[in-house]
Amino acid sequence: MSQHDPASTTPESGLENLLHETRAFPPSEEFAAQANATAEMYDRAKADREGFWAEQARDLLTWSKDFTEVVDFSGAPVARWFGDGELNAAYNAVDRHVDAGLGDRVALHFEGEPGDTRTLTYADLKEQVSRAANALEALGVKTGDRVAIYLPMIPEAVIAMLACARIGAPHSVIFGGFSAEALHSRINDAEARVVITADGGYRRGKPSALKPAVDDAIAKGTPVEHVLVVERTGQDVAWTEGRDKKWADALAEASPEHTPVPVDAEHPLFILYTSGTTGKPKGILHTTGGYLTQCAFTHKYVFDLKPETDVYWCTADIGWVTGHSYVTYGPLINGATQVIYEGTPDTPDKDRWWEIVEKYKVSILYTAPTAIRTCMKWGAEFPARHDLSSLRVLGSVGEPINPEAWIWYRETIGAGTTPVVDTWWQTETGAIMISPLPGVTAAKPGSAQTPLPGISADVFDEAGRSVPDGDGGYLVLTEPWPAMLRGIWGDPQRFAETYWSRFEGKYFAGDGAKKDEDGDIWLLGRVDDVMNVSGHRLSTTEIESALVSHPIVAEAAVVGAKDDTTGQAVVAFVILRSDALERVDEIGEGEDVVAELRAHVAKEIGPIAKPRSILVVAELPKTRSGKIMRRLLRDIAEGREAGDVTTLADSSVMDKISQGMGK
Ligand code: 6R9
């Protein structure tokens, strides 16, 4: 694998249309009059940032021991927030609502893909989480031990996370779409001794197995001693006596009473792995007090949550950070009633989401631009089949939302009246950072606009100077924020280098951005070798490593090509080994090789990482110093003439690649 071409690490230019957008949608008077957010919040936070966050922490959370410190950044880049306070996340998400007499309020409306449903009140949740916490303790899990969670989107996913939090055992949730290989490396990196999984989950109308991947991962060697298995699909599963235990049995044997363990505000709450610019995923570490404060704050004000009357639905899977902050923690801390849905939006038909909105009278919907664009492609007839009049706030996250999709979302789903909030944040930031506030901000389609009260962001040029309004550069976060990551699990040096060295002492987000004439921020996509496919982060290097690990591949280069639906799509260029070329008879050629390599990537990383296309080439375009020029490959992948080739070691390479593609 070669080094990366610096020329390809400038802000993406594929979003020009976004920069010519001038429409604005001020809030209606009715909405503004009832909104949680006010314009004064910005002033209050500006006047006294620490005081502002301390107020939020006390207003939104219950502390078993109050704090006297707010933020301490003397150990930069690791911050401490509310450092001498103590609290428990599960107590805040569940018990205190029951204690306040809200035990009968619905916490979760679960909709399974086959149409089965379950309703859990806060009292039900308290019982389940307490039993699960006792069950984990019975398996020897103690405060500080890591627990891996590999589950479909079923209530047990939320219960498992909260059970871990209840005993102060950091969870590491691994997305159900990841392979045994990915599971193996994540389990080992976090040294998890317990895994919570299920036989499978329903996807696209059929059961999809999960347990075999756990068995395969453990067979490769891990510290795992116990596996709790939720029965969801009733599929046959292999069973290891003494190690595997049915979740239902473990909970039935456990007491429904459990005292939550108060932990320090800086106690680790979870590790969540995300792709970086190198092959090895980063275990992003979040702690308790600051993280929960910002989750609760943003969930209340960005979505204008009224917990007594709203029905909230975030379509994210708990395998991603959005599922952590805006399914499990933010909504439950705020005592919300929410919907969780197990399956795909087109099972059994393309109106499934809208059927769910109508059925549960969803009033706040939070989803990703890729899903909105997919619905646009399917057509307005599907939402038109349902009464969507309950909706009053719409949110977007995961990638830049193009103005067309933003307008379609507001017009077709939001009846032309609902505020749309485009929320920018990352696994690393823990919670929303830049977003309009409904009822306050005049929203601009395609722009995340303004750092939230108490958050400081800016756009810097190459030299680390704040750019004037109207100019573009790199997004940076200039002050510590409560939900900021506290590090990369086991790798403090990588933490410092990745985020804090590009602009000394400031957090470099890896995103290109522009300030418009009003100073509003427009996000322009990643500036590093991280791709964003359907809102999921994938590393070019990680997929290249997977391809090169196949015996027939000599070299591989991966680029993210613009895609109308998924934002970006993975396109791979591979050079086959000469001995493989000689054995074409055995291994097949063309389509066979491509199918084989796509399957190989799915096995190594997961189906989400499968390249959309793989092109077998004789050579890759490289500079004289041996760097692959991804910019040129992206030109090819996006169907353009290759740009400037003058820095290529061999300028005929691009002609050969283009000829090979029939151009
Ligand atoms: C929450 C989440 C983070 C990356 C981030 C950026 C992109 C997320 C965005 C957005 C433009 C938005 N991103 N929200 N880009 N506008 N509203 O998605 O976390 O999976 O870590 O991805 O996603 O490129 O750097 P994560």
Side-chain angles (χ1 to χ4, degrees):
M1 230 180 318
S2 302
Q3 286 175 297
H4 295 121
D5 166 23
S8 70
T9 60
T10 48
E12 289 292 332
S13 55
L15 293 156
E16 293 91 355
N17 62 339
L18 200 141
L19 300 177
H20 300 300
E21 180 59 45
T22 52
R23 286 169 284 193
F25 296 81
S28 70
E29 270 173 39
E30 299 87 296
F31 196 101
Q34 60 82 62
N36 290 344
T38 60
E40 289 72 50
M41 288 167 62
Y42 292 103
D43 304 331
R44 162 80 188 108
K46 199 168 267 164
D48 176 13
R49 225 169 56 87
E50 291 191 22
F52 172 81
W53 282 120
E55 266 166 36
Q56 300 306 329
R58 293 198 176 97
D59 178 37
L60 299 164
L61 301 177
T62 303
W63 297 77
S64 44
K65 181 174 159 237
D66 193 20
F67 52 87
T68 62
E69 304 165 16
V70 180
V71 57
D72 176 2
F73 206 38
S74 60
V78 182
R80 284 168 59 82
W81 280 86
F82 318 118
D84 57 347
E86 284 179 13
L87 75 171
N88 180 277
Y91 174 81
N92 273 276
V94 182
D95 301 49
R96 64 176 182 147
H97 305 310
V98 179
D99 294 350
L102 303 173
D104 292 339
R105 181 182 290 171
V106 174
L108 302 177
H109 285 296
F110 167 67
E111 172 96 5
E113 197 189 72
D116 58 319
T117 60
R118 273 159 73 189
T119 304
L120 279 93
T121 63
Y122 275 92
D124 296 334
L125 205 51
K126 182 180 168 192
E127 185 196 322
Q128 294 286 308
V129 172
S130 299
R131 284 183 187 275
N134 283 318
L136 287 172
E137 283 181 344
L139 296 178
V141 177
K142 292 188 202 53
T143 305
D145 291 349
R146 275 80 59 204
V147 174
I149 298 177
Y150 187 64
L151 284 170
M153 268 312 274
I154 55 177
E156 285 77 6
V158 174
I159 294 165
M161 289 167 80
L162 293 172
C164 292
R166 199 171 181 90
I167 52 186
H171 50 71
S172 166
V173 181
I174 297 137
F175 175 57
F178 278 127
S179 65
E181 194 60 57
L183 195 50
H184 175 250
S185 63
R186 286 159 174 77
I187 288 172
N188 277 340
D189 188 72
E191 298 171 286
R193 289 194 299 110
V194 173
V195 181
I196 306 175
T197 188
D199 46 4
Y202 291 97
R203 268 199 95 66
R204 299 190 200 288
K206 44 182 198 296
S208 157
L210 284 172
K211 173 80 165 38
V214 175
D215 293 333
D216 290 353
I218 297 174
K220 291 174 200 286
T222 63
V224 172
E225 290 160 16
H226 300 285
V227 180
L228 282 175
V229 186
V230 177
E231 277 181 293
R232 167 65 186 139
T233 58
Q235 288 164 279
D236 277 341
V237 288
W239 206 255
T240 303
E241 284 306 329
R243 185 197 74 184
D244 298 351
K245 181 155 190 162
K246 286 186 182 170
W247 167 272
D249 293 349
L251 264 66
E253 288 163 17
S255 159
E257 305 290 334
H258 182 273
T259 309
V261 177
V263 295
D264 290 347
E266 285 301 333
H267 185 76
L269 179 61
F270 66 86
I271 304 166
L272 182 60
Y273 288 83
T274 187
S275 295
T277 49
T278 68
K280 191 173 182 284
K282 302 178 280 200
I284 302 300
L285 173 66
H286 282 287
T287 58
T288 309
Y291 171 79
L292 295 178
T293 298
Q294 197 177 329
C295 284
F297 168 75
T298 51
H299 184 257
K300 175 173 175 179
Y301 293 99
V302 173
F303 300 115
D304 194 48
L305 178 81
K306 308 288 193 293
E308 302 78 18
T309 46
D310 275 317
V311 178
Y312 164 87
W313 181 23
C314 167
T315 64
D317 189 282
I318 50 137
W320 308 108
V321 75
T322 307
H324 283 60
S325 305
Y326 298 104
V327 176
T328 301
Y329 292 108
L332 296 178
I333 297 276
N334 287 339
T337 294
Q338 68 178 317
V339 171
I340 60 173
Y341 169 57
E342 177 183 30
T344 53
D346 52 350
T347 307
D349 203 355
K350 297 187 177 69
D351 65 341
R352 184 63 184 275
W353 275 15
W354 317 120
E355 185 187 301
I356 293 172
V357 168
E358 178 173 17
K359 176 172 171 185
Y360 296 101
K361 300 199 167 34
V362 172
S363 55
I364 305 170
L365 178 68
Y366 192 28
T367 192
T370 184
I372 299 165
R373 288 192 297 264
T374 301
C375 292
M376 269 175 87
K377 203 170 65 187
W378 289 341
E381 68 198 83
F382 296 102
R385 287 185 194 163
H386 299 278
D387 176 5
L388 307 182
S389 60
S390 53
L391 288 169
R392 61 180 205 91
V393 179
L394 302 175
S396 170
V397 61
E399 53 179 314
I401 180 165
N402 46 313
E404 297 69 33
W406 194 104
I407 297 283
W408 189 89
Y409 197 24
R410 178 170 157 115
E411 294 295 325
T412 310
I413 305 303
T417 54
T418 54
V420 173
V421 286
D422 173 11
T423 63
W424 180 90
W425 59 294
Q426 307 177 299
T427 306
E428 293 87 342
T429 70
I432 299 171
M433 302 292 282
I434 308 178
S435 168
L437 283 176
V440 176
T441 316
K444 296 178 180 175
S447 172
Q449 293 180 281
T450 322
L452 291 176
I455 300 296
S456 308
D458 201 348
V459 180
F460 279 7
D461 65 13
E462 288 284 350
R465 285 175 304 234
S466 175
V467 303
D469 290 351
D471 273 7
Y474 303 96
L475 184 73
V476 287
L477 303 171
T478 51
E479 296 286 348
W481 62 100
M484 70 196 291
L485 75 167
R486 301 303 199 260
I488 295 176
W489 187 256
D491 203 344
Q493 196 183 338
R494 188 174 179 197
F495 173 53
E497 277 164 12
T498 309
Y499 304 105
W500 304 94
S501 65
R502 179 74 177 75
F503 301 111
E504 188 57 38
K506 307 280 182 229
Y507 177 89
F508 171 58
D511 279 34
K514 183 192 148 108
K515 286 188 220 166
D516 68 14
E517 299 302 337
D518 304 323
D520 282 327
I521 296 176
W522 297 68
L523 277 310
L524 302 175
R526 301 289 305 193
V527 292
D528 53 15
D529 291 319
V530 175
M531 294 171 289
N532 190 326
V533 179
S534 299
H536 298 154
R537 272 165 72 168
L538 295 170
S539 144
T540 53
T541 327
E542 203 178 346
I543 299 175
E544 285 167 2
S545 309
L547 285 166
V548 176
S549 74
H550 192 288
I552 65 169
V553 176
E555 208 177 346
V558 166
V559 295
K562 199 170 167 317
D563 183 285
D564 285 345
T565 306
T566 58
Q568 282 187 307
V570 180
V571 176
F573 295 81
V574 296
I575 302 178
L576 299 184
R577 291 166 65 126
S578 51
D579 52 344
L581 287 171
E582 284 158 16
R583 291 189 294 119
V584 169
D585 292 350
E586 283 162 58
I587 58 179
E589 57 185 321
E591 285 173 22
D592 292 347
V593 169
V594 168
E596 163 81 20
L597 293 179
R598 292 184 77 229
H600 181 69
V601 172
K603 182 176 143 284
E604 291 292 312
I605 305 173
I608 47 164
K610 270 198 289 198
R612 182 186 67 186
S613 33
I614 297 183
L615 305 162
V616 177
V617 294
E619 276 174 83
L620 289 169
K622 287 184 187 162
T623 61
R624 284 174 198 87
S625 63
K627 291 185 176 116
I628 296 178
M629 295 190 69
R630 283 186 177 62
R631 171 171 60 82
L632 298 178
L633 294 175
R634 208 174 297 134
D635 287 339
I636 300 275
E638 294 177 353
R640 284 188 301 273
E641 279 295 314
D644 185 359
V645 295
T646 48
T647 54
L648 277 182
D650 173 0
S651 58
S652 67
V653 169
M654 290 314 292
D655 292 337
K656 288 187 206 144
I657 295 178
S658 303
Q659 279 158 16
M661 293 189 58
K663 288 218 178 72

Coordinates of all heavy atoms in Angstrom, one line a residue, residues 274 320-322 366 396-401 422-428 434 448 509-511 523-526 532 535-537, ligand 1:
T274 N -14.6 3.6 15.6 CA -14.9 4.4 14.3 C -13.7 4.3 13.4 O -12.6 4.2 13.9 CB -15.4 5.8 14.6 OG1 -15.8 6.4 13.4 CG2 -14.3 6.7 15.2
W320 N -24.1 2.8 16.0 CA -23.4 4.0 15.7 C -23.6 5.0 16.8 O -24.4 4.9 17.6 CB -24.0 4.6 14.4 CG -24.1 3.6 13.3 CD1 -25.2 3.0 12.8 CD2 -22.9 3.1 12.5 NE1 -24.8 2.1 11.8 CE2 -23.4 2.2 11.6 CE3 -21.6 3.3 12.6 CZ2 -22.6 1.4 10.7 CZ3 -20.7 2.6 11.7 CH2 -21.3 1.7 10.8
V321 N -22.8 6.1 16.8 CA -22.9 7.0 17.9 C -24.3 7.7 18.0 O -24.7 8.0 19.1 CB -21.7 8.1 17.8 CG1 -22.0 9.1 16.7 CG2 -21.5 8.8 19.1
T322 N -24.9 7.9 16.8 CA -26.2 8.5 16.9 C -27.2 7.6 17.7 O -28.0 8.2 18.5 CB -26.8 8.7 15.5 OG1 -25.8 9.4 14.7 CG2 -28.1 9.5 15.5
Y366 N -35.7 11.9 13.4 CA -34.3 12.2 13.2 C -33.7 11.1 12.3 O -33.7 9.9 12.7 CB -33.6 12.2 14.6 CG -32.2 12.8 14.7 CD1 -31.7 13.7 13.8 CD2 -31.3 12.3 15.7 CE1 -30.4 14.3 13.9 CE2 -30.0 12.8 15.8 CZ -29.6 13.8 14.9 OH -28.3 14.3 15.1
S396 N -31.7 15.9 10.7 CA -30.8 15.3 9.8 C -29.4 15.2 10.3 O -28.9 16.1 11.0 CB -30.8 16.1 8.4 OG -29.8 15.6 7.6
V397 N -28.7 14.0 10.1 CA -27.4 13.8 10.6 C -26.6 12.8 9.8 O -27.2 11.9 9.2 CB -27.4 13.3 12.1 CG1 -28.1 12.0 12.2 CG2 -25.9 13.2 12.6
G398 N -25.3 13.0 9.7 CA -24.5 11.9 9.2 C -23.6 12.4 8.0 O -22.5 11.8 7.8
E399 N -24.1 13.4 7.3 CA -23.3 13.9 6.1 C -24.0 15.2 5.7 O -25.1 15.5 6.2 CB -23.4 12.8 5.0 CG -24.8 12.4 4.6 CD -24.9 11.5 3.5 OE1 -24.3 11.7 2.5 OE2 -25.7 10.5 3.6
P400 N -23.3 15.9 4.8 CA -24.0 17.1 4.4 C -25.3 16.8 3.7 O -25.4 15.8 2.9 CB -23.0 17.7 3.3 CG -21.7 17.0 3.6 CD -22.0 15.7 4.2
I401 N -26.3 17.6 3.9 CA -27.6 17.3 3.3 C -27.7 18.3 2.1 O -27.5 19.6 2.3 CB -28.8 17.4 4.2 CG1 -30.1 17.2 3.5 CG2 -28.9 18.7 5.1 CD1 -31.3 16.8 4.4
D422 N -30.4 20.5 10.7 CA -29.2 19.8 10.1 C -28.2 19.8 11.2 O -27.6 20.9 11.4 CB -28.8 20.5 8.8 CG -27.5 19.9 8.2 OD1 -27.1 18.9 8.7 OD2 -27.0 20.6 7.3
T423 N -27.9 18.7 11.8 CA -27.1 18.6 13.0 C -25.7 18.1 12.6 O -25.6 16.9 12.2 CB -27.7 17.7 14.0 OG1 -27.8 16.4 13.5 CG2 -29.1 18.3 14.4
W424 N -24.6 18.9 12.8 CA -23.3 18.4 12.6 C -22.7 17.9 13.9 O -22.7 18.7 14.9 CB -22.4 19.4 12.0 CG -21.0 18.9 11.8 CD1 -20.5 18.2 10.6 CD2 -19.9 18.9 12.7 NE1 -19.2 17.8 10.8 CE2 -18.8 18.2 12.1 CE3 -19.7 19.4 14.0 CZ2 -17.6 18.0 12.7 CZ3 -18.5 19.2 14.6 CH2 -17.5 18.5 14.0
W425 N -22.1 16.7 13.9 CA -21.3 16.3 15.0 C -20.6 15.0 14.6 O -20.7 14.6 13.4 CB -22.2 16.1 16.3 CG -23.3 15.1 16.2 CD1 -24.4 15.3 15.4 CD2 -23.5 13.9 16.9 NE1 -25.3 14.2 15.6 CE2 -24.7 13.3 16.5 CE3 -22.7 13.2 17.8 CZ2 -25.2 12.1 16.9 CZ3 -23.2 12.0 18.3 CH2 -24.4 11.4 17.9
Q426 N -19.9 14.3 15.5 CA -19.1 13.1 15.2 C -19.1 12.2 16.4 O -19.4 12.6 17.5 CB -17.6 13.5 15.0 CG -17.4 14.6 14.0 CD -15.9 14.9 13.9 OE1 -15.3 15.3 14.9 NE2 -15.3 14.8 12.7
T427 N -18.7 11.0 16.1 CA -18.5 10.0 17.2 C -17.6 10.7 18.3 O -17.9 10.5 19.5 CB -17.7 8.7 16.7 OG1 -18.5 8.2 15.5 CG2 -17.6 7.7 17.7
E428 N -16.6 11.4 17.8 CA -15.7 12.0 18.8 C -16.3 13.1 19.6 O -15.9 13.3 20.7 CB -14.5 12.6 18.0 CG -13.6 11.5 17.3 CD -14.0 11.1 15.9 OE1 -15.2 11.4 15.6 OE2 -13.2 10.6 15.2
I434 N -23.1 21.6 16.0 CA -23.4 22.8 15.2 C -24.8 22.4 14.6 O -25.0 21.4 14.0 CB -22.4 22.9 14.0 CG1 -21.0 23.1 14.6 CG2 -22.8 24.2 13.2 CD1 -19.9 23.2 13.5
A448 N -25.5 23.6 8.5 CA -25.7 23.3 9.9 C -25.6 24.7 10.7 O -26.0 24.7 11.9 CB -24.7 22.3 10.4
A509 N -11.4 18.5 13.1 CA -12.5 17.6 12.9 C -12.3 16.7 11.7 O -12.9 15.6 11.6 CB -13.8 18.3 12.8
G510 N -11.4 17.1 10.8 CA -11.3 16.3 9.5 C -12.3 16.7 8.5 O -12.4 16.0 7.5
D511 N -13.1 17.7 8.7 CA -14.1 18.1 7.7 C -13.7 19.5 7.1 O -13.2 20.4 7.8 CB -15.5 18.3 8.4 CG -16.2 17.0 8.6 OD1 -15.5 16.0 8.9 OD2 -17.5 17.0 8.6
L523 N -20.9 22.6 6.0 CA -20.0 21.5 6.0 C -19.8 21.0 4.6 O -20.8 20.8 3.9 CB -20.5 20.4 6.9 CG -20.2 20.6 8.4 CD1 -18.7 20.9 8.7 CD2 -21.1 21.6 9.1
L524 N -18.6 20.7 4.2 CA -18.3 20.3 2.8 C -17.8 18.8 2.7 O -17.3 18.5 1.6 CB -17.3 21.3 2.2 CG -17.8 22.7 2.2 CD1 -16.7 23.6 1.7 CD2 -19.1 22.9 1.4
G525 N -17.8 18.0 3.7 CA -17.4 16.7 3.6 C -15.9 16.5 4.2 O -15.3 17.5 4.5
R526 N -15.5 15.3 4.2 CA -14.2 15.0 4.8 C -13.1 15.5 4.0 O -13.1 15.5 2.7 CB -14.0 13.4 5.0 CG -15.1 12.8 5.8 CD -15.0 13.1 7.3 NE -13.7 12.8 7.9 CZ -13.5 12.7 9.2 NH1 -14.5 12.9 10.0 NH2 -12.3 12.5 9.7
N532 N -17.6 8.6 3.4 CA -18.9 8.7 4.1 C -19.9 8.0 3.2 O -20.3 8.6 2.2 CB -19.2 10.1 4.5 CG -20.4 10.2 5.4 OD1 -21.3 9.4 5.3 ND2 -20.4 11.2 6.3
G535 N -23.9 7.8 5.3 CA -23.7 8.3 6.7 C -22.8 7.4 7.5 O -22.6 7.7 8.7
H536 N -22.2 6.4 7.0 CA -21.3 5.5 7.7 C -19.9 5.8 7.4 O -19.6 6.0 6.2 CB -21.6 4.0 7.5 CG -23.0 3.6 7.9 ND1 -23.6 2.6 7.3 CD2 -23.8 4.1 8.8 CE1 -24.8 2.4 7.9 NE2 -24.9 3.4 8.8
R537 N -19.1 5.9 8.4 CA -17.7 6.3 8.1 C -16.9 5.0 7.8 O -16.9 4.0 8.5 CB -17.0 6.9 9.4 CG -17.2 8.3 9.4 CD -17.0 8.9 10.7 NE -15.5 8.8 11.1 CZ -15.1 9.5 12.1 NH1 -15.8 10.2 12.9 NH2 -13.8 9.4 12.4
Ligands
6R9_1 C1 -22.9 11.7 14.1 C2 -22.1 11.1 13.1 C3 -18.9 12.0 11.5 C4 -18.7 12.7 10.2 C5 -18.3 14.1 10.3 C6 -18.9 14.6 8.9 C7 -20.1 13.9 8.7 C8 -22.1 14.2 10.3 C9 -23.0 16.0 9.4 C10 -21.9 15.7 8.6 C11 -22.2 17.4 7.2 C12 -23.8 17.1 8.9 N1 -21.3 14.6 9.2 N2 -23.1 15.1 10.4 N3 -21.5 16.4 7.6 N4 -23.4 17.8 7.9 N5 -24.9 17.5 9.5 O1 -22.4 11.0 11.9 O2 -20.9 10.6 13.5 O3 -20.3 8.5 12.2 O4 -18.6 9.8 13.5 O5 -19.4 10.7 11.4 O6 -20.0 12.6 9.4 O7 -18.0 14.4 7.9 O8 -16.9 14.3 10.4 P1 -19.8 9.8 12.7

